[in-house]
Amino acid sequence: PANFEGYTLSLGYRYKSKYLFDFNAAYNGTDRFGKDNRFGFFPSASVGYIISEEPFIKDNLGDKINLLKLRGSFGIVGSDAAPGGRYVYKQSFTESNNVNFGERFSSQPCYWEGNLGTDYVTWEKSRKWDIGLETKFFNRLGLTVDWFYDLRYDQLVERSSAPLMLGVGPGPSNVGRTRNTGFDGIITYQDRFGEFNVSSSLVFSYAKNKILYQDEPEKAYPWLMRTGHSIGQIFGYHWTGYYTPDDIEAINKGLPGAPATPNVPVQAGDLKYEDLNGDGVINDFDKGPIGKPNLPSTTLGWNIGGSWKGISLNVLFQGSFDYSFALTGTAI
């Protein structure tokens, strides 16, 4: 069974059809957290100003400027999704039959101790800001564009900084922080030429996220840290070229300035990687951020179509940009 409880409030006010105000609030509860942390309060508010309703525009430019609206909003939302499933605040145990005791090693039933309970875990939250502009001109051309800023905090993440000598997982905690910001919008056009109707729309979006904190253990070198990079950032070796015959000769003779090598023999033509920490050996300490995350920061979509006497044709183009795609195994 799962138990949830919630109360919501919504207020709206309009004045002269041009000044707009909305307020929303939610008080939600979930059984996924301990009894003292099950409820969260999440308010939001937005304001709008329809400038095209002002007499100096409506009376003089009403046939040219059909809509000109500014709006802004701020709100806090919450999520009770937790890594590892429900009831993360409780100590977990797993039943098993694969532990052997005695001289003949007979299998015995047992319970494995899982992650420790964390009574203080609660809702993951996000502060959201948005500023938008909506326009329409000549009853044909329209533009809607929004800038947004999203700050997620109290994210439930596994605390990887806990030492292994603890002997058991510490359980997730509300310590993660992530930022996401960008803009998106749509440009539309529609017109009619006799019996022929034409329409087109361009949708665009740009967003960039950044991990502000995720509770990493202390790293020997700063380039090993995930904090400060985008979610899903790829880490690996920085390729600098290939070993040459001169490189191999310098390595075999131990000459000063010889390139660093991994702990396996190398020969001319092998891939050569950058020795980030300068210790003369290529190992895990030389892995840094490479490429980009496998998440496009920019997406575009363009639709164009027309109709004539019941016959219509529409064409859609889509694209995503600014991301990396790693080929491994048979894909290479």
Side-chain angles (χ1 to χ4, degrees):
N3 297 285
F4 305 93
E5 183 177 357
Y7 305 88
T8 61
L9 171 68
S10 179
L11 298 174
Y13 181 71
R14 307 288 185 272
Y15 180 67
K16 293 186 176 181
S17 298
K18 58 184 176 182
Y19 303 109
L20 318 173
F21 174 77
D22 284 285
F23 175 79
N24 295 275
Y27 185 67
N28 295 331
T30 175
D31 66 355
R32 295 186 176 186
F33 308 129
K35 61 180 181 179
D36 296 327
N37 298 288
R38 287 178 174 166
F39 283 86
F41 178 65
F42 310 108
S44 64
S46 64
V47 294
Y49 176 32
I50 304 180
I51 307 173
S52 54
E53 289 296 317
E54 293 288 357
F56 67 87
I57 291 183
K58 193 172 184 179
D59 297 341
N60 302 310
L61 300 171
D63 58 335
K64 300 179 179 64
I65 303 177
N66 312 117
L67 175 64
L68 180 58
K69 177 183 177 181
L70 286 173
R71 51 180 168 76
S73 63
F74 171 77
I76 300 176
V77 297
S79 171
D80 64 348
R86 298 169 62 194
Y87 311 129
V88 294
Y89 63 94
K90 293 183 177 182
Q91 169 74 62
S92 63
F93 297 89
T94 303
E95 187 176 5
S96 177
N97 288 310
N98 61 350
V99 173
N100 298 318
F101 291 96
E103 294 180 358
R104 296 184 179 181
F105 300 101
S106 59
S107 180
Q108 300 293 331
C110 70
Y111 285 94
W112 291 99
E113 184 181 14
N115 288 342
L116 297 174
T118 48
D119 288 334
Y120 51 85
V121 297
T122 186
W123 293 80
E124 174 183 318
K125 306 173 189 69
S126 177
R127 297 193 189 105
K128 296 178 177 288
W129 291 263
D130 185 280
I131 298 175
L133 171 68
E134 297 179 31
T135 64
K136 188 171 185 180
F137 304 100
F138 306 104
N139 285 311
R140 295 180 179 86
L141 181 64
L143 167 66
T144 299
V145 62
D146 283 84
W147 170 86
F148 60 87
Y149 183 93
D150 185 345
L151 177 64
R152 292 197 175 193
Y153 60 103
D154 288 348
Q155 288 181 285
L156 271 173
V157 297
E158 301 286 350
R159 303 205 68 160
S160 58
S161 64
L164 295 178
M165 67 180 69
L166 181 63
V168 66
S173 299
N174 295 97
V175 296
R177 291 171 63 89
T178 305
R179 182 184 68 205
N180 188 38
T181 185
F183 59 88
D184 54 32
I186 179 172
I187 302 173
T188 61
Y189 177 79
Q190 57 184 12
D191 207 344
R192 181 182 180 90
F193 303 94
E195 297 184 3
F196 183 71
N197 297 289
V198 62
S199 63
S200 180
S201 61
L202 174 67
V203 180
F204 54 91
S205 174
Y206 173 83
K208 195 74 172 177
N209 64 62
K210 182 179 181 180
I211 299 172
L212 302 179
Y213 184 74
Q214 68 172 40
D215 192 62
E216 293 181 273
E218 290 286 340
K219 300 292 180 70
Y221 303 99
W223 57 80
L224 301 175
M225 301 290 290
R226 264 61 176 174
T227 299
H229 294 286
S230 297
I231 298 172
Q233 173 64 55
I234 302 170
F235 281 71
Y237 298 111
H238 292 214
W239 174 66
T240 60
Y242 302 93
Y243 288 104
T244 66
D246 292 338
D247 290 335
I248 301 303
E249 183 179 1
I251 292 169
N252 293 334
K253 293 181 178 180
L255 299 178
T261 62
N263 290 318
V264 294
V266 294
Q267 60 185 358
D270 287 343
L271 298 177
K272 183 167 60 174
Y273 299 107
E274 185 177 1
D275 183 15
L276 294 181
N277 64 350
D279 64 355
V281 180
I282 304 298
N283 54 26
D284 284 346
F285 291 132
D286 299 302
K287 288 184 177 180
I290 58 174
K292 300 174 181 178
N294 186 227
L295 177 67
S297 67
T298 304
T299 56
L300 296 173
W302 180 37
N303 180 75
I304 184 170
S307 63
W308 177 75
K309 292 186 177 182
I311 301 174
S312 62
L313 175 66
N314 288 275
V315 181
L316 172 65
F317 299 92
Q318 294 184 101
S320 57
F321 311 91
D322 195 32
Y323 68 101
S324 292
F325 184 76
L327 298 177
T328 60
T330 55
I332 297 176

